[in-house]
Amino acid sequence: MPELTKAEYEASECLGKRHSIIFPGNKDFFYLCPNCHPHRSNSNGPCEHKLRGRCKKDPDGPSADEILDLFLKEGEGLDSKNDLSSDEKKSRSNTIRLFCSHFGRSWDCSGCKYWELPWGAESSITRTAYSTTHGAKTLIDEVTMFCTYFIVRKCMMDQEERKSAVRCMIELVSFLVAKGYVTDTEYAERIISTIRPGLTLEPDTIQQKLCELWANDYWRKLMEEGAGSKRAKTDNNSDFPYVGKTSEPELPWNVEKITSEGWLLSNYDAPTVVVTLPNDVRKLGMENMQISCMKLVHIGNGIWEPSGAYGNDEMVCANVYPPPY
């Protein structure tokens, strides 16, 4: 394929131009796909990878790709420490990579149609088909779901890695405001307030503690001692009239309130109950945090014993989500 001049290369709108090959001798050879190459006849019509315009629902300002790339380069100044360590830089890059994967995963956008970058066009971790056609509005709108669902449900991360990801997202929202990409500061503050609980919630510890309590027969010992919840004993709901009643809803349990006895749990598919907990575990809870794949069994004396759903009793729960889910 004939070599392009630099001017011809830069004038092209094909995203394939992102794939440049530099040969020895400091001479650049620029290649495009056949349909967009100005030195070749085109009998197939316009290239399907011609540079796509911005989504009509997110048309303003730089693209998400450009914003995130700039954030990785300049965002250090927003951190409490002026210089990030190599591990912190790696963590931030990994978070941004996951974030890009999250917001373009299902192309959930009514403003534009699905498309793909050509081979070789993903020149950086922030460059995806979705990130080139969407901008700051998409970024800030996706932060909450990324922090409260995606990194919990879809990623193999421990609680410290999740905290680091949430911290990175808080810095990203601050960056969007500082650069003027997002002008609605009240909305940005609400986003930060919404995801901030993820900095202190310890889901792995909660899961481990619940499993240890089940393995040590904590609730059965309470039942034998007759130390049941007053609320559970006086609950007038007829759905829980007998020992052995099991509540195994499809949706996660919501911690409606932290009480002096434990956690007040509610669910769309089940009545509200109190799970009695020792003080150290009780304090780990947060109002409106959610616990998935957990069933409750009424074992007597108003005691509800948590255990794992789907026949996996010893694994008391699957995921602990920060509020809101």
Side-chain angles (χ1 to χ4, degrees):
M1 186 180 297
E3 175 189 352
L4 297 181
T5 66
K6 186 175 182 180
E8 288 174 327
Y9 171 75
E10 292 178 343
S12 171
E13 292 183 322
C14 175
L15 284 179
K17 74 178 183 178
R18 296 284 180 172
H19 189 218
S20 302
I21 303 176
I22 300 178
F23 287 95
N26 295 321
K27 187 174 183 180
D28 294 351
F29 287 80
F30 301 107
Y31 292 96
L32 299 178
C33 64
N35 285 3
C36 289
H37 201 290
H39 295 169
R40 297 188 60 167
S41 60
N42 178 6
S43 59
N44 298 320
C47 172
E48 64 176 304
H49 297 307
K50 188 175 177 66
L51 182 62
R52 282 278 294 269
R54 288 286 293 277
C55 171
K56 63 183 180 182
K57 287 196 171 184
D58 190 4
D60 301 323
S63 68
D65 166 37
E66 294 169 324
I67 292 171
L68 293 175
D69 187 58
L70 187 63
F71 171 70
L72 289 175
K73 294 176 180 176
E74 297 187 5
E76 292 185 26
L78 295 173
D79 197 89
S80 57
K81 296 172 289 186
N82 291 329
D83 296 316
L84 296 178
S85 68
S86 58
D87 287 343
E88 288 170 326
K89 290 180 181 178
K90 182 179 179 180
S91 174
R92 179 171 288 182
S93 295
N94 288 339
T95 297
I96 295 302
R97 185 193 301 272
L98 288 173
F99 188 45
C100 290
S101 173
H102 157 69
F103 64 69
R105 68 193 183 283
S106 58
W107 207 280
D108 186 18
C109 180
S110 59
C112 58
K113 294 181 180 180
Y114 175 83
W115 72 300
E116 294 181 356
L117 287 176
W119 180 82
E122 294 186 5
S123 56
S124 71
I125 65 171
T126 65
R127 188 168 183 78
T128 66
Y130 205 84
S131 69
T132 58
T133 50
H134 296 76
K137 181 180 182 300
T138 293
L139 292 181
I140 195 167
D141 287 347
E142 291 290 341
V143 165
T144 298
M145 184 61 74
F146 176 73
C147 291
T148 61
Y149 176 77
F150 185 78
I151 61 175
V152 180
R153 183 69 177 85
K154 300 294 185 179
C155 302
M156 295 293 291
M157 305 172 74
D158 61 34
Q159 62 191 21
E160 295 306 317
E161 290 171 325
R162 291 175 192 165
K163 290 178 183 179
S164 178
V166 171
R167 189 176 300 109
C168 177
M169 288 295 103
I170 290 175
E171 291 166 358
L172 175 61
V173 173
S174 299
F175 179 82
L176 294 175
V177 173
K179 288 291 185 179
Y181 302 141
V182 171
T183 57
D184 188 343
T185 56
E186 290 186 4
Y187 179 52
E189 289 172 0
R190 287 199 302 272
I191 295 293
I192 291 176
S193 296
T194 298
I195 66 176
R196 194 178 295 279
L199 293 175
T200 54
L201 182 68
E202 298 189 347
D204 296 352
T205 304
I206 290 172
Q207 184 186 58
Q208 179 184 352
K209 292 290 186 181
L210 291 176
C211 290
E212 290 175 356
L213 293 174
W214 185 89
N216 293 324
D217 291 326
Y218 171 78
W219 291 283
R220 295 193 175 274
K221 292 175 182 177
L222 282 182
M223 182 270 294
E224 293 170 358
E225 296 170 359
S229 164
K230 294 179 181 179
R231 180 183 177 90
K233 286 180 178 179
T234 58
D235 196 327
N236 293 323
N237 194 300
S238 59
D239 286 345
F240 294 146
Y242 58 87
V243 172
K245 174 66 179 179
T246 300
S247 180
E248 191 173 356
E250 293 185 6
L251 296 174
W253 288 97
N254 180 70
V255 178
E256 189 173 307
K257 186 178 181 181
I258 309 297
T259 72
S260 58
E261 299 175 72
W263 298 339
L264 183 65
L265 301 181
S266 62
N267 192 286
Y268 292 108
D269 298 335
T272 299
V273 298
V274 171
V275 172
T276 307
L277 295 166
N279 199 43
D280 63 323
V281 180
R282 180 185 67 84
K283 290 182 177 180
L284 291 172
M286 284 186 181
E287 291 187 1
N288 294 319
M289 78 177 190
Q290 307 235 336
I291 305 173
S292 69
C293 299
M294 183 175 74
K295 68 180 179 182
L296 298 177
V297 180
H298 183 219
I299 59 177
N301 286 334
I303 297 295
W304 290 88
E305 180 185 55
S307 60
Y310 314 117
N312 190 15
D313 290 352
E314 66 276 7
M315 183 57 69
V316 174
C317 64
N319 292 309
V320 179
Y321 298 89
Y325 171 62

